[in-house]
Amino acid sequence: MTQTITKKMIQQMSDEQRKNHYHKVRMERKKAQIDAAITRADNQKGLLLVITGNGKGKSTSAFGMVARALGHGQKVGVCQFIKSRTDTGEEAFFNAQPNCEWHVLGDGFTWDTQNREADITTSKKGWDIATKMLTDPSFDLVILDELTYLLSYDYLDKDVVLNTLSERPEMQHVVVTGRSAIAELRDLADTVSEIKDEKHAYQSGIKAQKGFDL
């Protein structure tokens, strides 16, 4: 049986006991609120998550979800747009996993290619591969890394992309990463996270590090 704590009992407590008491009261209230929210959230569906902003960690966050899904025995597809490197640690690791299909679909960053027509052609070829995943219910999770650039630069028809995302299999989860996510993509998403660039080692002249950035 829970003892009722009176005002007099609280006054007789030491400072540390009083802090512990009020902490327990706050946590009991918080738990009740969280439990009620969990009870209300009883729907299940495939989610669309957009991770955008200028900060570091967008793709890294998405690849963390790849690990989580694979840990549950789910099938994952990864489409890396823009990027052309095939020597990253994440690709080496995840591409070796039996339930992970990984595609590097870019020719390099736009300031390297400097060819809009070629970038559009490459983007459309990459989107064809992504579309196969987004229409295949066997994929539980699809990562569309750096897709935001293809929309903000008008390399792809945004209506086609948004419709494909909307009409994907009911329980399929999708994560889109990249800076400057367009408003229509944000509106369609179930969750949008924006990562702020407060400080970056590159600004201090430190190059990308293997195992940390690559």
XYZ file of all heavy atoms in Angstrom, residues 38-103:
497
model
N 0.998 6.528 -25.608
C 1.280 5.245 -26.260
C -0.008 4.481 -26.517
O -0.196 3.868 -27.573
C 2.251 4.414 -25.394
C 3.636 5.070 -25.390
C 2.347 2.978 -25.913
C 4.618 4.414 -24.445
N -0.930 4.547 -25.568
C -2.221 3.861 -25.729
C -3.012 4.450 -26.889
O -3.654 3.725 -27.656
C -3.033 3.968 -24.428
O -2.302 3.347 -23.365
C -4.379 3.282 -24.577
N -2.953 5.781 -27.027
C -3.682 6.432 -28.125
C -3.059 6.113 -29.482
O -3.759 6.052 -30.494
C -3.701 7.951 -27.918
C -4.547 8.418 -26.757
C -4.773 9.923 -26.811
N -3.515 10.661 -26.768
C -2.935 11.069 -25.646
N -3.488 10.785 -24.469
N -1.807 11.755 -25.675
N -1.737 5.912 -29.533
C -1.037 5.681 -30.797
C -1.089 4.193 -31.146
O -0.136 3.450 -30.952
C 0.400 6.157 -30.692
N -2.247 3.760 -31.660
C -2.434 2.336 -31.933
C -2.522 2.019 -33.433
O -2.844 0.904 -33.821
C -3.692 1.819 -31.226
C -4.956 2.557 -31.660
O -4.836 3.555 -32.408
O -6.054 2.138 -31.258
N -2.217 3.003 -34.289
C -2.247 2.764 -35.738
C -0.894 2.230 -36.222
O 0.154 2.559 -35.659
C -2.578 4.056 -36.497
C -3.995 4.520 -36.218
O -4.872 3.712 -35.951
N -4.218 5.819 -36.282
N -0.943 1.433 -37.276
C 0.277 0.935 -37.902
C 0.228 1.239 -39.388
O -0.786 1.033 -40.046
C 0.429 -0.578 -37.693
C 0.964 -0.958 -36.323
C 1.348 -2.422 -36.269
O 0.583 -3.287 -36.685
N 2.542 -2.709 -35.771
N 1.337 1.742 -39.923
C 1.433 2.043 -41.344
C 2.896 2.237 -41.700
O 3.744 2.443 -40.826
C 0.651 3.328 -41.695
C 1.089 4.553 -40.904
C 0.531 5.841 -41.498
C 1.241 6.228 -42.762
N 0.909 7.576 -43.243
N 3.181 2.153 -42.972
C 4.515 2.479 -43.431
C 4.742 3.976 -43.299
O 3.896 4.779 -43.708
N 5.863 4.372 -42.745
C 6.125 5.785 -42.468
C 7.108 6.378 -43.471
O 8.008 5.697 -43.954
C 6.687 5.941 -41.058
C 5.776 5.479 -39.918
C 6.505 5.585 -38.589
C 4.486 6.284 -39.889
N 6.924 7.663 -43.743
C 7.855 8.424 -44.566
C 8.555 9.428 -43.661
O 7.921 10.303 -43.071
C 7.116 9.151 -45.693
C 7.952 10.135 -46.522
C 9.133 9.426 -47.189
C 7.081 10.821 -47.582
N 9.867 9.261 -43.536
C 10.685 10.149 -42.713
C 11.603 10.962 -43.615
O 12.288 10.400 -44.471
C 11.517 9.322 -41.727
C 12.670 10.021 -40.997
C 12.154 11.162 -40.133
C 13.452 9.019 -40.148
N 11.612 12.261 -43.425
C 12.514 13.149 -44.154
C 13.520 13.719 -43.164
O 13.142 14.310 -42.145
C 11.741 14.294 -44.848
C 12.718 15.294 -45.458
C 10.807 13.740 -45.909
N 14.816 13.513 -43.461
C 15.885 14.050 -42.620
C 16.630 15.092 -43.447
O 17.314 14.755 -44.418
C 16.857 12.954 -42.155
C 16.084 11.794 -41.515
C 17.857 13.520 -41.160
C 16.963 10.616 -41.142
N 16.476 16.345 -43.091
C 17.014 17.425 -43.898
C 17.789 18.398 -43.021
O 18.034 18.148 -41.853
C 15.875 18.122 -44.676
O 16.416 19.026 -45.641
C 14.925 18.851 -43.741
N 18.216 19.520 -43.598
C 18.991 20.513 -42.858
C 20.450 20.509 -43.272
O 20.918 19.607 -43.985
N 21.193 21.503 -42.816
C 22.593 21.683 -43.212
C 23.581 20.923 -42.343
O 24.780 20.904 -42.637
C 22.951 23.176 -43.186
C 22.193 23.969 -44.237
O 21.799 23.424 -45.264
N 21.976 25.253 -43.973
N 23.109 20.314 -41.276
C 24.008 19.660 -40.338
C 24.472 18.287 -40.778
O 23.864 17.641 -41.639
N 25.559 17.821 -40.159
C 26.101 16.492 -40.427
C 25.249 15.433 -39.724
O 24.821 15.631 -38.594
C 27.541 16.407 -39.906
C 28.150 15.006 -39.966
C 29.554 15.006 -39.403
C 30.080 13.588 -39.214
N 30.054 12.782 -40.454
N 25.056 14.303 -40.381
C 24.399 13.181 -39.716
C 23.119 12.692 -40.361
O 22.483 11.772 -39.845
N 22.718 13.280 -41.483
C 21.460 12.874 -42.115
C 21.539 11.445 -42.635
O 20.718 10.589 -42.303
C 21.114 13.853 -43.247
C 20.865 15.276 -42.756
C 20.534 16.227 -43.886
C 21.730 16.555 -44.756
N 22.780 17.289 -44.042
N 22.535 11.178 -43.470
C 22.710 9.825 -44.007
C 23.070 8.850 -42.891
O 22.588 7.713 -42.870
C 23.804 9.811 -45.081
O 23.455 10.633 -46.175
N 23.903 9.304 -41.959
C 24.304 8.450 -40.845
C 23.093 7.980 -40.051
O 22.998 6.816 -39.650
C 25.273 9.204 -39.920
O 26.373 9.686 -40.682
C 25.778 8.309 -38.813
N 22.148 8.882 -39.829
C 20.925 8.525 -39.123
C 20.126 7.486 -39.905
O 19.625 6.511 -39.342
C 20.072 9.778 -38.896
O 18.841 9.446 -38.291
N 20.032 7.686 -41.210
C 19.294 6.748 -42.042
C 19.931 5.360 -42.003
O 19.237 4.337 -41.930
C 19.237 7.261 -43.486
N 21.258 5.319 -42.038
C 21.943 4.023 -42.026
C 21.798 3.336 -40.669
O 21.864 2.112 -40.568
C 23.411 4.199 -42.392
C 23.605 4.772 -43.779
C 24.712 5.553 -44.071
C 22.673 4.548 -44.778
C 24.884 6.095 -45.341
C 22.843 5.090 -46.047
C 23.943 5.864 -46.329
N 21.598 4.121 -39.623
C 21.287 3.526 -38.332
C 19.977 2.767 -38.384
O 19.831 1.693 -37.780
N 18.998 3.306 -39.133
C 17.719 2.612 -39.292
C 17.867 1.367 -40.162
O 17.122 0.395 -40.007
C 16.679 3.575 -39.849
C 16.103 4.481 -38.766
S 14.926 5.689 -39.374
C 16.038 7.036 -39.771
N 18.830 1.396 -41.084
C 19.124 0.186 -41.863
C 19.555 -0.929 -40.921
O 19.070 -2.068 -41.002
C 20.226 0.453 -42.912
C 20.656 -0.846 -43.574
C 19.722 1.437 -43.974
N 20.465 -0.603 -39.995
C 20.932 -1.596 -39.030
C 19.777 -2.108 -38.178
O 19.664 -3.313 -37.904
C 22.019 -0.986 -38.140
N 18.908 -1.218 -37.775
C 17.768 -1.605 -36.934
C 16.847 -2.566 -37.688
O 16.420 -3.592 -37.156
C 17.000 -0.348 -36.511
C 15.771 -0.618 -35.663
C 15.122 0.697 -35.256
N 15.977 1.407 -34.312
C 15.836 2.701 -34.024
N 14.924 3.428 -34.638
N 16.613 3.274 -33.131
N 16.534 -2.233 -38.934
C 15.637 -3.081 -39.720
C 16.257 -4.451 -39.976
O 15.582 -5.491 -39.856
C 15.302 -2.391 -41.043
N 17.539 -4.468 -40.327
C 18.207 -5.748 -40.569
C 18.241 -6.596 -39.296
O 18.153 -7.826 -39.347
C 19.624 -5.508 -41.088
C 19.731 -4.904 -42.490
C 21.189 -4.593 -42.824
C 19.136 -5.832 -43.545
N 18.357 -5.930 -38.164
C 18.351 -6.639 -36.896
C 17.043 -7.349 -36.630
O 16.992 -8.347 -35.905
N 15.970 -6.854 -37.242
C 14.649 -7.487 -37.128
C 14.379 -8.457 -38.277
O 13.254 -8.949 -38.417
C 13.556 -6.419 -37.088
C 13.470 -5.685 -35.781
N 13.035 -6.276 -34.608
C 13.785 -4.404 -35.451
C 13.064 -5.394 -33.626
N 13.520 -4.253 -34.113
N 15.404 -8.715 -39.082
C 15.230 -9.648 -40.190
C 14.456 -9.075 -41.363
O 13.951 -9.820 -42.213
N 14.366 -7.741 -41.451
C 13.621 -7.109 -42.531
C 14.501 -6.894 -43.762
O 15.728 -6.863 -43.670
C 13.042 -5.775 -42.054
C 12.026 -5.932 -40.934
C 11.470 -4.606 -40.462
O 12.104 -3.560 -40.602
N 10.281 -4.630 -39.888
N 13.844 -6.704 -44.895
C 14.550 -6.464 -46.149
C 14.674 -4.961 -46.387
O 13.703 -4.218 -46.253
C 13.807 -7.118 -47.317
C 14.524 -6.991 -48.662
C 13.751 -7.709 -49.758
C 14.444 -7.555 -51.112
N 13.688 -8.247 -52.195
N 15.881 -4.534 -46.766
C 16.167 -3.106 -46.910
C 16.748 -2.811 -48.283
O 17.573 -3.570 -48.803
C 17.171 -2.635 -45.829
C 17.477 -1.152 -45.986
C 16.641 -2.926 -44.434
N 16.322 -1.710 -48.870
C 16.902 -1.220 -50.111
C 17.483 0.166 -49.902
O 16.859 1.007 -49.246
N 18.679 0.405 -50.416
C 19.330 1.710 -50.285
C 19.673 2.243 -51.664
O 20.346 1.569 -52.458
C 20.618 1.626 -49.438
C 21.303 2.992 -49.364
C 20.307 1.112 -48.039
N 19.213 3.461 -51.954
C 19.552 4.149 -53.202
C 20.298 5.425 -52.836
O 19.740 6.324 -52.206
C 18.283 4.503 -53.978
S 17.387 3.077 -54.629
N 21.560 5.487 -53.231
C 22.374 6.670 -52.957
C 22.459 7.523 -54.219
O 23.197 7.204 -55.148
C 23.766 6.268 -52.498
C 23.829 5.802 -51.051
C 25.251 5.790 -50.531
O 26.081 5.032 -50.994
N 25.537 6.647 -49.548
N 21.695 8.601 -54.236
C 21.742 9.527 -55.356
C 22.894 10.515 -55.143
O 23.398 10.680 -54.042
C 20.419 10.287 -55.468
C 19.237 9.395 -55.704
C 18.407 9.028 -54.658
C 18.962 8.898 -56.967
C 17.310 8.211 -54.867
C 17.872 8.072 -57.192
C 17.046 7.727 -56.132
N 23.309 11.181 -56.214
C 24.370 12.186 -56.201
C 25.732 11.569 -55.904
O 26.680 11.698 -56.686
C 24.080 13.326 -55.187
C 22.747 14.025 -55.529
C 25.220 14.320 -55.179
C 22.745 14.804 -56.802
N 25.862 10.914 -54.763
C 27.150 10.349 -54.358
C 27.619 9.274 -55.337
O 26.813 8.494 -55.851
C 27.054 9.754 -52.955
C 26.731 10.784 -51.878
C 26.457 10.118 -50.537
C 26.104 11.145 -49.479
N 25.707 10.519 -48.195
N 28.936 9.229 -55.559
C 29.485 8.234 -56.479
C 30.502 7.319 -55.810
O 30.971 6.356 -56.424
C 30.144 8.933 -57.673
O 31.204 9.770 -57.244
N 30.853 7.592 -54.559
C 31.875 6.791 -53.877
C 31.351 5.394 -53.568
O 30.232 5.227 -53.081
C 32.304 7.466 -52.575
C 32.989 8.799 -52.781
C 33.649 9.266 -51.505
N 34.768 8.391 -51.146
C 35.858 8.829 -50.529
N 35.971 10.110 -50.214
N 36.832 8.006 -50.230
N 32.180 4.416 -53.837
C 31.831 3.027 -53.543
C 32.811 2.415 -52.543
O 32.930 1.198 -52.452
C 31.812 2.186 -54.829
O 33.103 2.270 -55.466
C 30.745 2.665 -55.792
N 33.515 3.280 -51.798
C 34.506 2.793 -50.848
C 34.193 3.200 -49.419
O 35.070 3.232 -48.556
C 35.900 3.316 -51.227
C 35.982 4.842 -51.212
O 34.916 5.496 -51.166
O 37.107 5.383 -51.242
N 32.927 3.526 -49.139
C 32.563 3.936 -47.789
C 32.376 2.719 -46.886
O 32.055 1.620 -47.351
C 31.265 4.751 -47.791
O 30.202 3.952 -48.322
C 31.417 6.010 -48.635
N 32.565 2.932 -45.602
C 32.421 1.845 -44.645
C 31.013 1.304 -44.583
O 30.813 0.090 -44.456
N 30.006 2.203 -44.686
C 28.629 1.737 -44.601
C 28.263 0.829 -45.771
O 27.579 -0.187 -45.603
C 27.644 2.912 -44.496
C 27.714 3.922 -45.619
C 28.588 5.114 -45.279
O 29.526 4.954 -44.481
O 28.325 6.200 -45.834
N 28.721 1.197 -46.974
C 28.414 0.333 -48.126
C 29.120 -1.019 -47.988
O 28.526 -2.074 -48.236
C 28.824 0.994 -49.436
C 28.417 0.135 -50.633
C 29.097 0.556 -51.920
O 29.880 1.509 -51.893
O 28.828 -0.093 -52.935
N 30.388 -0.995 -47.579
C 31.146 -2.240 -47.435
C 30.465 -3.185 -46.448
O 30.389 -4.399 -46.675
C 32.566 -1.939 -46.972
N 29.940 -2.615 -45.372
C 29.308 -3.453 -44.354
C 27.913 -3.909 -44.769
O 27.611 -5.102 -44.785
C 29.229 -2.703 -43.020
C 28.559 -3.486 -41.937
C 29.244 -4.490 -41.275
C 27.240 -3.235 -41.593
C 28.620 -5.230 -40.276
C 26.613 -3.967 -40.597
C 27.313 -4.967 -39.932
N 27.047 -2.944 -45.114
C 25.644 -3.286 -45.371
C 25.458 -4.064 -46.669
O 24.567 -4.909 -46.768
C 24.785 -2.025 -45.387
C 24.566 -1.433 -44.030
C 24.950 -0.127 -43.759
C 23.984 -2.176 -43.021
C 24.749 0.428 -42.500
C 23.780 -1.642 -41.757
C 24.166 -0.327 -41.500
N 26.295 -3.799 -47.666
C 26.151 -4.504 -48.946
C 26.475 -5.986 -48.798
O 26.100 -6.799 -49.649
C 27.064 -3.870 -50.002
C 26.505 -4.006 -51.395
O 25.310 -4.256 -51.590
N 27.356 -3.868 -52.389
N 27.171 -6.327 -47.720
C 27.506 -7.736 -47.474
C 26.392 -8.472 -46.734
O 26.456 -9.698 -46.585
C 28.806 -7.828 -46.672
N 25.374 -7.735 -46.296
C 24.280 -8.365 -45.552
C 23.266 -8.968 -46.528
O 22.919 -8.357 -47.539
C 23.583 -7.344 -44.646
C 24.530 -6.584 -43.725
C 25.378 -7.505 -42.877
O 24.877 -8.443 -42.249
N 26.683 -7.239 -42.842
N 22.787 -10.163 -46.247
C 21.902 -10.858 -47.198
C 20.575 -10.166 -47.470
O 19.997 -10.330 -48.533
C 21.679 -12.226 -46.530
C 21.989 -12.012 -45.080
C 23.055 -10.968 -45.038
N 20.069 -9.363 -46.526
C 18.769 -8.718 -46.710
C 18.871 -7.263 -47.150
O 17.892 -6.524 -47.077
C 17.951 -8.792 -45.409
C 17.336 -10.144 -45.196
O 17.322 -10.981 -46.101
N 16.818 -10.391 -44.006
N 20.058 -6.854 -47.605
C 20.259 -5.443 -47.968
C 20.702 -5.324 -49.424
O 21.711 -5.897 -49.831
C 21.297 -4.803 -47.049
S 21.490 -3.018 -47.320
N 19.934 -4.549 -50.192
C 20.276 -4.259 -51.596
C 20.728 -2.801 -51.676
O 19.970 -1.894 -51.352
C 19.066 -4.497 -52.485
C 19.343 -4.300 -53.964
C 18.145 -4.631 -54.838
O 17.393 -5.567 -54.496
O 17.951 -3.941 -55.865
N 21.945 -2.590 -52.126
C 22.571 -1.258 -52.062
C 22.974 -0.801 -53.455
O 23.633 -1.523 -54.190
C 23.805 -1.327 -51.162
C 24.400 -0.007 -50.782
C 25.059 0.874 -51.589
C 24.400 0.571 -49.476
N 25.469 1.958 -50.877
C 25.086 1.804 -49.566
C 23.905 0.153 -48.231
C 25.271 2.637 -48.470
C 24.086 0.987 -47.135
C 24.765 2.214 -47.262
N 22.587 0.416 -53.813
C 22.932 0.968 -55.127
C 23.538 2.360 -54.973
O 22.950 3.229 -54.330
C 21.690 1.077 -56.017
C 21.066 -0.231 -56.363
N 21.490 -0.989 -57.432
C 20.046 -0.912 -55.779
C 20.753 -2.082 -57.494
N 19.880 -2.065 -56.506
